[in-house]
Amino acid sequence: MFTIEHEFDATVITLVDEVASHRQEDITINAFEDCVTIEQADPDSGEVSTVTLSNAQLRDLGAALDLPEGIYQIAAAKDR
């Protein structure tokens, strides 16, 4: 299950791990104009860990999901 909310400066997606035998904590993805953050709370400490991806890293991740094992470099578009 997941939710999508549109905030003033970001789109917020929350992924709920409802089918795992050992349920993981929810993941929150915040999509801003210049980056994407991924957050997950540690159930033991209560602290939130955050990973920030640039738009280029997010593009590469999307491409990597559909590629076989290997090393790749995506050519930069001329209009960026």
Side-chain angles (χ1 to χ4, degrees), residues 31-48:
F32 298 97
E33 183 177 327
D34 60 342
C35 69
V36 171
T37 62
I38 302 169
E39 301 173 340
Q40 186 176 40
D42 180 324
D44 297 326
S45 69
E47 293 187 26
V48 175

Side-chain angles (χ1 to χ4, degrees), residues 33-36 52-64 73-77 80:
E33 183 177 327
D34 60 342
C35 69
V36 171
T52 302
L53 301 172
S54 69
N55 289 333
Q57 288 173 312
L58 186 62
R59 180 197 67 226
D60 290 350
L61 174 61
Q73 182 175 6
I74 297 175
R80 288 188 191 172

